[in-house]
Amino acid sequence: MTSDGPSDGPLSDALLAAQLLLLAPEVLGGIALRGAGPARDWLTLQLQELAAERPWRRMPGHIEDERLLGGIDLAASLASGTPVRQTGLLDEVQTGFLCVPMAERLREDLAGKLVQAMDGMERAKAFALVLLDDGREIDERPAASLTDRIAFICDLSGVAPFTDLLWPDHDKTISISSVAPASPEQCEALAQTAAALGIDDIRALLFAVNAAKAHAALYSRKIIADEDLAAAARLVLAPRAVQLPMDTPLEEAAEPPSETQQTDHSENQAENSKSHDAPLEEVVLEAALASIPEDVLAAIAEGRIRKSTASGGTGKRTQSKLRGRPLGARPGVPRGGARLALIDSLRAAAPWQTIRRQNEPDAQRSVLMRKDDLRVRRFEERAGSVTVFCVDASGSAAAARLAEAKGAVELILAQAYVKRSEVALIAFRGEGAEVLLPPTRSLTRARRALAGLPGGGGTPLASGMTLGLQIAESVSARGRTPFLVFLTDGSANIALDGSPGRAQAREDAQAAAKTIARAGIETILIDISPRPRPDAADFAEAMLARYLPLPMADAVALEKAVSAAQPQLAPA
Amino acid sequence: MARFPFSAIVGQDEMKRALLIAAVDPAIGGVMVFGDRGTGKSTATRALASLMPPMHVLEDCRFNCDPSQERSCPIECSAKRVRKAPVPFVDMPLGATEDRVVGALDLERALRAGEKAFEPGLLAKAHRGFLYIDEINLLEDHLVDLLLDVAASGENVVEREGLSVRHSAKFVLIGSGNPEEGELRPQLLDRFGLSVEVRTPQSIEDRVEIIKRCSAQADDADGFAEEWAEADTAIVKSIASARRKLPKLEVSDELLADVAGLCKQVGVDGLRGELTLMRAARAQAALSKARSVKRQHLLEIAPMALRHRLRRDVLDETGSTVRIERAIEELFG
């Protein structure tokens, strides 16, 4: 592909994306820049300087509703005795750029408000988002509702500090409105590419068309050319790919589905009279594929990329100031969602009325309030619970009860989702343990993960316990109550380091069990061995867990046992 | 700026039909739309709201009261002048607080004038219109409870902060969500009247058509609306005539027996399924200008009225739609 950037790579792509965004922020929605570093800082700074004639606002994650949407400035209102309004950030940023640092940590309610503002705004006043995403893990991403509404998602993590990068000078750019709309064939090429990459979101497709127009405008072309399409596919479609083109090698990718279409394309090409031999779709698709990093390609090929992530949104629920058991009032200003406790505020102001009236004899108001009088309500909220299942999928367990354990877990999952508690799933077998499912509320995903769980191999009980503990600790770090459920026969025979040996394995497992006991996490151990042996009971004792021998249990009995134990341990 | 016209939405026939049925008979109790992002869920709902003929409201009334209904307003409206207002479309943000939804004490007036006044919330704003909630499955539970309760009773009762207010809040509740990201409790799901599953159109031609229409709309919104005005007017007329027809349409006893048989066959608990089936079949008959409600109308709407009410069998992966179609096949051949 002929890309005219300074050099190939994520940085030059991000640079190009930024240039396109500057040309047409109102139709491209914005840009997400992932990975902190000097390259991103430079790019953001350039963007800000070049957009100097438009408003540029930075929105911190702790912004209050009054400031974001506009509202009453309470302190000023009280001081003057008349309502003083303040303008909202969203009003100020109209037609400009809203820069969101730490976008992956943005609260979901805030993301929701931005989305609403973007959807409801007239195009002429629309603002563009600049999301600075500092996430490292695959799950740490800005809310999908935001990234769906912006054209460019650029990953700059790992980009080496540059030495001599210059903002390319295009002095002959034209306005995007003077570029002719994309032809049906060009739309089709982009649609084919999106379909081949498994992109279902129509917004992405529209962004791609607009990006192609903007790219043409950047090179002062009035008609969209092939390289414009290729750039659009590379910048807009490739980062959203969730699949590789259907089991076809790259050369034959995006073969048109039918004969008739094939002839259509060759005609189109004749009209376009381009030097490329390949059909347009193929050219565009190739451009998109070329820019997907190799590790991501491999992940997609293995089907490891989930179609939609929970965007971390479900996890980051903060303690609400709005519900739960009332705890009485405390001094404070009613903002950030906290509610004013009117009676308490009046009560606090009452003793001072005589003195204040002496100081302010002209005041007409019946009650003289000061900021210090304000009281807000407090509520106590119970944290949500997360049940972490650690399933022994080793050969010994598999032979006996794995199917039953699976059935039981599914029943408990159904229970858990009725109660709105979340579940996570860990399996241990062979040489180690793995997280099959991070904490989620989705029964669909849980069921899928469970169905695909194979059995066989040794019993690395210590690894299972360690991983279970890790998950439980990360759960409680997020302010929720973890609840560990082990389903095992207790016959540990693989040590923590993966080496076989019953003695070492038992020792490691005992140590891990004691760590769980020290962490004070509520645990239940369900013995799934055909005949109860002291092994599992010993481990249960070591981790101070409830021990449930269920030698002849069926799935329903198991579910009843866990449900009966649960309310007492982790109130839902 | 003119909104995207309802009739210009490519495909998504089931969703469009469900929305129209809900618009004809709001008592059906809302539509739940399952589907991926960017499939035109909110576009369709917005378009339908802007399609509806303007309604009469009292000037300055913050509760969207109907002037023809006496004493419906919780506060005495001082103005008696009637004006026309567009049918409200309220998009509820995910992080909305309970105060914002049900309404709360008007802080400004409480502080300034010492008055205990009620500041209406989103429910009052949505009265006689549409309330759209994206990602309803991520909404806090107590809010979903509250919303469904108000949607079913048509009245918002506020008993908090020393306020005791009740006002009508009749709206068509449209929820949307992606089951991959968390699910809605079955007892909440059951309270939605209809549910539809939407997907992005899979054919390239449809997608290209979407691009073309969206670009045309973006370039010249008013011109585009003009182009589709005729088709939109036809829809407005069909809704209006269906609404007039609705009370006259009777559901025969044989058809009611079909309704009950179908619910029994698929194993739907409770009577909501039957009632919704009956209402939706009637609305469908009214929309298709039929003289009476026929079995064909019932079968057309059965999947969307029952799909979300089936008992979940965690060990059975068979989709709900398939199970309903199978039951229809067995019962009616």
Side-chain angles (χ1 to χ4, degrees):
Chain A
M1 275 327 88
T2 53
S3 84
D4 298 33
S7 63
D8 281 339
L11 185 55
S12 64
D13 273 353
L15 197 57
L16 183 59
Q19 287 175 293
L20 298 184
L21 183 64
L22 274 174
L23 266 180
E26 65 283 352
V27 293
L28 290 173
I31 185 169
L33 297 168
R34 188 173 165 90
R40 191 182 71 179
D41 295 346
W42 176 81
L43 197 64
T44 319
L45 199 66
Q46 291 291 318
L47 203 55
Q48 186 176 355
E49 276 174 13
L50 286 167
E53 75 274 23
R54 292 172 184 271
W56 176 284
R57 293 284 182 281
R58 204 173 162 93
M59 188 191 81
H62 58 257
I63 189 167
E64 286 160 1
D65 284 2
E66 287 77 20
R67 180 69 188 105
L68 185 69
L69 307 169
I72 296 208
D73 186 339
L74 201 67
S77 302
L78 281 175
S80 67
T82 51
V84 177
R85 303 198 74 87
Q86 58 180 349
T87 55
L89 200 66
L90 290 179
D91 294 324
E92 293 171 20
V93 80
Q94 280 182 6
T95 73
F97 291 85
L98 187 69
C99 178
V100 185
M102 304 277 281
E104 82 287 357
R105 305 278 297 170
L106 199 65
R107 296 197 317 268
E108 64 182 41
D109 59 319
L110 217 54
K113 282 177 189 121
L114 287 184
V115 163
Q116 228 181 9
M118 293 178 88
D119 282 359
M121 202 164 279
E122 280 179 47
R123 179 153 293 188
K125 292 180 179 170
F127 60 88
L129 280 179
V130 179
L131 300 177
L132 304 180
D133 170 11
D134 287 353
R136 284 166 184 272
E137 304 298 320
I138 191 132
D139 279 351
E140 286 178 317
R141 290 188 173 280
S145 52
L146 286 180
T147 47
D148 282 350
R149 285 170 173 80
I150 60 176
F152 306 114
I153 302 171
C154 305
D155 194 344
L156 294 176
S157 35
V159 170
F162 54 91
T163 44
D164 52 346
L165 249 178
L166 281 177
W167 191 272
D169 215 7
H170 291 277
D171 36 38
K172 279 196 285 181
T173 58
I174 56 173
S175 148
I176 185 170
S177 54
S178 48
V179 179
S183 71
E185 296 77 39
Q186 289 170 328
C187 290
E188 194 175 327
L190 287 173
Q192 292 274 20
T193 308
L197 295 173
I199 302 167
D200 274 346
D201 194 341
I202 290 294
R203 286 193 199 99
L205 205 46
L206 295 171
F207 281 135
V209 174
N210 286 330
K213 273 177 86 171
H215 194 266
L218 187 69
Y219 289 94
S220 57
R221 278 190 285 267
K222 295 210 163 158
I223 295 166
I224 297 173
D226 282 4
E227 51 252 57
D228 302 328
L229 292 182
R234 200 172 74 232
L235 296 175
V236 180
L237 297 180
R240 293 169 211 264
V242 290
Q243 70 175 41
L244 285 178
M246 291 297 178
D247 57 69
T248 41
L250 206 55
E251 291 76 35
E252 296 164 32
E255 199 76 56
S258 71
E259 292 274 322
T260 46
Q261 276 190 332
Q262 179 89 59
T263 50
D264 279 354
H265 293 317
S266 40
E267 278 166 23
N268 297 339
Q269 266 188 300
E271 283 166 27
N272 286 354
S273 67
K274 285 286 163 200
S275 55
H276 296 292
D277 296 337
L280 196 50
E281 288 86 9
E282 211 172 287
V283 174
V284 177
L285 182 63
E286 203 180 308
L289 286 178
S291 76
I292 307 178
E294 263 179 35
D295 50 336
V296 179
L297 266 180
I300 295 173
E302 282 174 35
R304 273 198 283 127
I305 296 240
R306 285 202 305 275
K307 229 177 156 188
S308 61
T309 61
S311 74
T314 42
K316 275 179 244 150
R317 186 148 297 164
T318 45
Q319 296 279 317
S320 164
K321 300 179 189 102
L322 297 163
R323 60 186 185 125
R325 196 164 64 84
L327 270 182
R330 69 175 171 78
V333 181
R335 58 186 172 194
R339 286 298 298 172
L340 180 80
L342 185 68
I343 306 293
D344 299 271
S345 305
L346 290 174
R347 198 178 283 143
W352 303 99
Q353 293 306 305
T354 327
I355 299 174
R356 285 180 192 166
R357 204 156 297 278
Q358 282 167 5
N359 291 338
E360 270 182 78
D362 304 332
Q364 296 292 310
R365 287 168 283 155
S366 45
V367 184
L368 297 175
M369 300 281 288
R370 298 285 182 272
K371 195 181 161 198
D372 301 345
D373 301 331
L374 297 181
R375 299 288 183 272
V376 291
R377 299 232 202 102
R378 280 188 305 157
F379 295 101
E380 183 188 62
E381 193 187 17
R382 275 183 182 166
S385 70
V386 182
T387 309
V388 184
F389 288 102
C390 308
V391 182
D392 181 350
S394 65
S396 58
R401 334 285 306 243
L402 185 60
E404 269 171 65
K406 275 187 188 181
V409 172
E410 288 208 351
L411 282 170
I412 302 166
L413 284 174
Q415 274 291 314
Y417 112 100
V418 167
K419 288 191 204 147
R420 302 311 295 260
S421 63
E422 293 181 22
V423 291
L425 189 61
I426 289 170
F428 51 97
R429 67 188 193 90
E431 282 168 12
E434 63 170 327
V435 180
L436 289 184
L437 188 69
T440 176
R441 206 183 264 169
S442 166
L443 188 61
T444 322
R445 277 178 56 202
R447 189 202 286 139
R448 213 177 293 151
L450 200 62
L453 171 64
T459 310
L461 189 55
S463 311
M465 285 177 176
T466 314
L467 191 60
L469 180 64
Q470 273 172 14
I471 298 282
E473 280 178 337
S474 75
V475 162
S476 53
R478 290 185 182 190
R480 283 170 303 163
T481 315
F483 180 59
L484 273 169
V485 179
F486 285 95
L487 292 106
T488 177
D489 56 2
S491 59
N493 57 13
I494 305 285
L496 198 53
D497 58 7
S499 61
R502 204 163 275 274
Q504 184 63 36
R506 284 193 60 87
E507 208 170 290
D508 284 354
Q510 277 289 344
K514 284 186 184 135
T515 323
I516 290 179
R518 271 200 300 280
I521 291 162
E522 302 290 359
T523 312
I524 179 169
L525 189 144
I526 298 169
D527 190 346
I528 57 169
S529 55
R531 277 174 303 282
R533 283 174 300 177
D535 301 12
D538 284 352
F539 289 125
E541 200 180 320
M543 46 183 171
L544 299 178
R546 280 171 68 96
Y547 172 67
L548 288 174
L550 285 174
M552 299 315 278
D554 59 330
V556 177
L558 206 54
E559 182 247 326
K560 282 209 180 105
V562 173
S563 297
Q566 204 170 16
Q568 181 186 345
L569 293 166
Chain B
M1 189 180 80
R3 287 260 172 231
F4 198 85
F6 189 74
S7 43
I9 291 166
V10 179
Q12 314 296 23
D13 293 329
E14 198 188 21
M15 172 169 68
K16 285 197 276 192
R17 189 171 350 137
L19 289 175
L20 288 179
I21 288 176
V24 168
D25 186 359
I28 279 173
V31 181
M32 176 73 206
V33 187
F34 290 109
D36 297 336
R37 299 163 187 285
T39 42
K41 297 180 296 251
S42 85
T43 312
T45 318
R46 271 176 210 275
L48 185 63
S50 63
L51 192 67
M52 307 298 277
M55 57 186 201
H56 292 279
V57 289
L58 285 171
E59 210 154 78
D60 298 329
C61 181
R62 293 188 299 167
F63 295 89
N64 280 345
C65 292
D66 188 349
S68 63
Q69 283 179 342
E70 296 271 317
R71 300 174 160 275
S72 63
C73 197
I75 51 167
E76 298 278 313
C77 283
S78 49
K80 291 289 169 216
R81 288 193 24 216
V82 173
R83 70 181 170 94
K84 279 191 169 186
V87 168
F89 172 88
V90 175
D91 187 354
M92 198 173 111
L94 198 53
T97 61
E98 207 170 297
D99 303 303
R100 186 82 189 89
V101 176
V102 298
L105 187 75
D106 190 336
L107 196 63
E108 189 179 334
R109 279 168 76 186
L111 285 178
R112 192 183 49 191
E115 272 176 35
K116 196 168 85 176
F118 178 67
E119 164 95 62
L122 292 176
L123 292 175
K125 223 171 138 189
H127 181 40
R128 301 165 70 197
F130 295 81
L131 183 66
Y132 177 76
I133 307 163
D134 199 10
E135 303 195 70
I136 192 168
N137 44 351
L138 300 184
L139 202 66
E140 304 223 17
D141 259 13
H142 64 123
L143 274 181
V144 183
D145 292 348
L146 191 155
L147 282 169
L148 287 165
D149 191 42
V150 174
S153 64
E155 189 178 47
N156 180 27
V157 183
V158 186
E159 296 288 354
R160 52 194 292 164
E161 301 182 314
L163 292 165
S164 180
V165 180
R166 55 176 58 210
H167 65 84
S168 349
K170 295 196 174 89
F171 48 81
V172 179
L173 183 67
I174 315 277
S176 83
N178 186 347
E180 290 260 311
E181 296 181 357
E183 315 202 16
L184 212 55
R185 278 166 35 217
Q187 51 271 61
L188 295 185
L189 213 46
D190 178 53
R191 298 176 76 163
F192 276 96
L194 308 173
S195 86
V196 288
E197 286 161 11
V198 290
R199 292 196 67 196
T200 310
Q202 293 301 303
S203 84
I204 297 295
E205 294 83 56
D206 280 354
R207 290 189 182 199
V208 171
E209 189 59 36
I210 294 173
I211 303 180
K212 273 196 218 153
R213 291 189 190 174
C214 287
S215 313
Q217 201 260 348
D219 290 344
D220 177 12
D222 294 322
F224 187 72
E226 194 75 24
E227 226 174 278
W228 291 90
E230 204 175 311
D232 265 8
T233 316
I235 292 177
V236 173
K237 279 192 184 148
S238 76
I239 294 177
S241 89
R243 275 186 174 174
R244 276 195 308 274
K245 268 190 167 182
L246 200 62
K248 292 177 209 145
L249 280 172
E250 297 242 336
V251 184
S252 67
D253 286 355
E254 294 91 74
L255 199 69
L256 288 179
D258 285 352
V259 167
L262 186 58
C263 286
K264 189 163 171 291
Q265 181 77 16
V266 293
V268 173
D269 301 332
L271 283 172
R272 275 210 192 89
E274 271 102 329
L275 287 173
T276 315
L277 262 184
M278 193 264 288
R279 281 179 180 280
R282 205 171 55 175
Q284 170 75 359
L287 269 174
S288 41
K289 300 190 170 56
R291 283 164 191 275
S292 60
V293 190
K294 302 209 175 62
R295 182 182 278 174
Q296 166 213 344
H297 301 128
L298 172 68
L299 299 187
E300 278 164 1
I301 51 86
M304 66 172 93
L306 293 180
R307 183 181 287 140
H308 53 299
R309 296 175 208 275
L310 301 193
R311 257 179 183 281
R312 282 201 84 120
D313 186 348
V314 282
L315 305 173
D316 187 3
E317 283 274 1
T318 319
S320 309
T321 317
V322 179
R323 279 158 70 189
I324 294 167
E325 277 163 4
R326 212 185 282 153
I328 290 177
E329 188 72 22
E330 279 170 30
L331 273 185
F332 310 113

